[in-house]
Amino acid sequence: MTEFLEFLFNGIALGGIYALIALGFTVIYRASSVINFAQGSFLLLGAYLVAWLHVDKGLPFAVSVLIAIAVTASVGALFQIGVLRRVTGQQVFTIVMITIGLNVVLTALVPAAISSIGQSGSDIGDPWGSSTLGIGGVTLTYVKVWTVITTLFVLLLFFLFDRYSRYGLAMRATASDEEAALAVGVPTRRVNALAWGIAGAVAVVGGFFLAGFPSRADPVLGLASLRAFPAIILGGLESPTGAVVGGMIIGVVEELTAGYQPNHASWLGTNFYIVAPYLVMILVLMVKPYGLFGQRPVERA
């Protein structure tokens, strides 16, 4: 039972990170119906910036995180304003390929740039303490405890913003019907830029915690966005709630599979935990084709 609880908590911590990644995908998709394949490079940029600012430059960890959030959010917003806005009306495939191009550029540029200006640019340090916390015989690491706490706080802030703020209302109106929102004076261009900024901001939080599990920022962090991709499909592409629930499910499935499968079904291979979330996604989509919280598109004659 103790082992199960440890696996479960680790899955919730990992699921929180996946929820933040999926939320970034969902916010952009709601605003512009585009899947942002550069979300993984935002994770990478945020993690490397936090590591460089905190370890190399000696800034307090919280200050480093805030600066990284501001920079990454600005990169996302400026990319939308300077590039994507100029191809508005083009085929979705064209816009998707542009986001893939941004991902390739950032994935190659960020590690090289940080390593060239800092000796330990990939080392994120140990701001949360390396000791463990024991509760009822269950051993928890502080980085994962802080992951759960911070993720819940960030998600709460987003949902309060989305539900009660002026721009949150504008984002929901744009997601519902962009043309109607524009007709009643909603600044849809500003909303789209804001969506990219939010996606960059939440990616930073997911990025430095994901890097904190091994205490290093690494270029492979960008691949976490692909591992989180089943979460947005599972929850529904346009649903922030679905992104959170889907992320939690995927994280728990991955950790439980990684914990139990090698001992009980070793014939499935050593990396089956990577495949398991996709199998869960397929099973759910067979029953609910638009995801757990997705809705069938309304077609008007």
Side-chain angles (χ1 to χ4, degrees):
M1 185 64 180
T2 299
E3 184 181 56
F4 170 78
L5 291 176
E6 289 181 2
F7 289 151
L8 180 62
F9 182 81
N10 291 340
I12 292 173
L14 182 60
I17 294 174
Y18 286 164
L20 291 175
I21 299 172
L23 183 62
F25 278 111
T26 298
V27 167
I28 291 177
Y29 186 84
R30 281 203 312 169
S32 58
S33 299
V34 171
I35 296 177
N36 173 30
F37 285 97
Q39 192 66 17
S41 61
F42 288 166
L43 286 174
L44 194 66
L45 176 60
Y48 269 91
L49 280 175
V50 171
W52 177 61
L53 291 168
H54 178 55
V55 177
D56 282 349
K57 297 304 177 184
L59 294 179
F61 183 71
V63 174
S64 301
V65 170
L66 292 176
I67 294 175
I69 287 175
V71 171
T72 309
S74 298
V75 169
L78 290 174
F79 177 74
Q80 196 283 328
I81 295 170
V83 179
L84 293 185
R85 187 174 293 180
R86 298 178 183 275
V87 294
T88 301
Q90 298 295 320
Q91 292 183 351
V92 173
F93 175 77
T94 301
I95 301 176
V96 168
M97 290 304 298
I98 292 174
T99 68
I100 292 176
L102 175 64
N103 183 67
V104 172
V105 170
L106 289 179
T107 300
L109 183 62
V110 170
I114 294 295
S115 62
S116 68
I117 58 178
Q119 295 179 351
S120 56
S122 62
D123 188 348
I124 203 167
D126 187 25
W128 25 72
S130 58
S131 58
T132 58
L133 174 67
I135 302 179
V138 179
T139 302
L140 310 174
T141 58
Y142 274 109
V143 60
K144 295 182 180 179
V145 172
W146 278 109
T147 298
V148 173
I149 294 172
T150 306
T151 298
L152 291 175
F153 177 70
V154 171
L155 293 174
L156 176 62
L157 284 181
F158 171 79
F159 282 106
L160 289 175
F161 165 82
D162 189 57
R163 181 61 57 182
Y164 298 109
S165 73
R166 176 183 176 186
Y167 274 100
L169 177 61
M171 289 179 67
R172 287 187 285 121
T174 302
S176 177
D177 191 327
E178 185 171 356
E179 291 185 2
L182 185 61
V184 297
V186 174
T188 55
R189 287 188 172 186
R190 202 176 303 166
V191 166
N192 286 330
L194 178 62
W196 277 81
I198 291 174
V202 296
V204 173
V205 181
F208 75 73
F209 273 122
L210 198 59
F213 281 14
S215 296
R216 291 186 66 82
D218 189 273
V220 298
L221 280 179
L223 298 178
S225 63
L226 298 179
R227 290 169 61 183
F229 198 72
I232 62 172
I233 305 299
L234 186 66
L237 275 170
E238 297 184 355
S239 171
T241 301
V244 174
V245 174
M248 291 296 181
I249 292 174
I250 294 304
V252 170
V253 167
E254 186 173 316
E255 283 292 326
L256 290 179
T257 303
Y260 287 115
Q261 177 264 325
N263 295 326
H264 300 282
S266 58
W267 51 273
L268 290 172
T270 56
N271 293 322
F272 183 73
Y273 70 93
I274 297 176
V275 179
Y278 289 90
L279 295 179
V280 172
M281 178 188 73
I282 292 171
L283 292 175
V284 170
L285 292 181
M286 289 174 64
V287 179
K288 294 184 70 65
Y290 298 98
L292 294 173
F293 293 86
Q295 297 179 353
R296 182 187 297 272
V298 177
E299 296 182 2
R300 296 180 175 88

